[in-house]
Amino acid sequence: MSDRAADGTESGLSDDAFSPVWTDDDRPRIPRVAAEREALTAYLEYYRATVEMKCRGLTPEQARARPMPPSTLSPHGLVRHLAGVERWWFQQNFERREVPFLFFTADNPDLDFEPPPDADFAADLETWRAECAASREIVAAHGLDDIARPLDWHEDVDLRWLVLRMVTEYAQHCGHLDLLREGIDGRTGS
């Protein structure tokens, strides 16, 4: 990191003034100049890659850990939740596909954040990856101005709104994953 600002002046910041970076950070770079679709999808892909990175190397036991009481969040629960959110917004709401809910039943609506004892972290990561792939296909097949009416709303949304909604969902939960990972094994970094 340089201590020079973009305009060439001294910024006054040293490398120690910035968050640590993960040594195995392989997330895609977000373009600094981009068209609207490219910028929106780049941010969403960056946050998806952050989830992948923050979960990398966790054992199933670590993934189930809830190291930040009184919060009951765990990496495993967040992965299950994000898989369900991907399906809910893109498949069930935007394209109105007839697909079942993930990790949700009428008797137990919290199966995402509260994985049952037999839930398999590796399998749930694969489910999340598959949901992300389905969402990517939907975004690629539609224009940002395409409109849908969510199942439980009384107003329309366009795909632009939906992608921004997902960016905010991921940003929130990536912050949670930062804290959880630090509590699990002390690993930090943005």
Side-chain angles (χ1 to χ4, degrees):
M1 181 69 56
S2 170
D3 62 352
R4 293 212 173 267
D7 65 1
T9 60
E10 294 290 325
S11 69
L13 299 176
S14 68
D15 286 347
D16 294 339
F18 297 93
S19 296
V21 178
W22 286 38
T23 56
D24 58 345
D25 185 348
D26 58 355
R27 293 172 292 181
R29 185 176 186 279
I30 298 171
R32 302 303 187 256
V33 177
E36 182 181 23
R37 176 182 281 277
E38 180 185 10
L40 290 172
T41 58
Y43 266 94
L44 185 51
E45 288 304 325
Y46 179 84
Y47 284 125
R48 287 172 174 154
T50 299
V51 170
E52 188 82 45
M53 184 180 75
K54 295 288 180 171
C55 289
R56 189 179 303 140
L58 291 176
T59 67
E61 294 75 25
Q62 289 173 317
R64 292 176 86 64
R66 296 173 172 182
M68 297 293 165
S71 171
T72 60
L73 291 177
S74 70
H76 192 166
L78 285 173
V79 165
R80 288 168 64 97
H81 172 70
L82 290 168
V85 169
E86 290 273 358
R87 178 173 283 197
W88 168 252
W89 281 111
F90 289 107
Q91 292 185 62
Q92 293 173 316
N93 278 289
F94 196 78
E95 280 206 338
R96 294 291 179 103
R97 292 182 185 177
E98 300 265 342
V99 293
F101 286 101
L102 290 173
F103 315 123
F104 176 92
T105 66
D107 294 339
N108 195 348
D110 296 323
L111 285 172
D112 54 355
F113 284 123
E114 297 176 14
D118 63 344
D120 181 326
F121 182 55
D124 290 341
L125 272 170
E126 285 304 316
T127 298
W128 169 72
R129 290 177 187 124
E131 293 304 315
C132 291
S135 297
R136 281 184 199 100
E137 290 174 6
I138 291 169
V139 170
H142 292 277
L144 293 176
D145 293 326
D146 287 358
I147 292 175
R149 167 101 18 124
L151 294 168
D152 60 351
W153 286 24
H154 60 281
E155 62 184 317
D156 294 340
V157 299
D158 61 21
L159 182 61
R160 176 183 298 98
W161 179 92
L162 177 50
V163 173
L164 284 167
R165 169 71 180 80
M166 291 300 292
V167 167
T168 61
E169 181 86 17
Y170 271 93
Q172 173 187 13
H173 293 313
C174 284
H176 294 142
L177 277 170
D178 283 341
L179 291 172
L180 293 171
R181 187 65 190 253
E182 184 175 2
I184 290 168
D185 64 5
R187 190 150 187 209
T188 60
S190 57

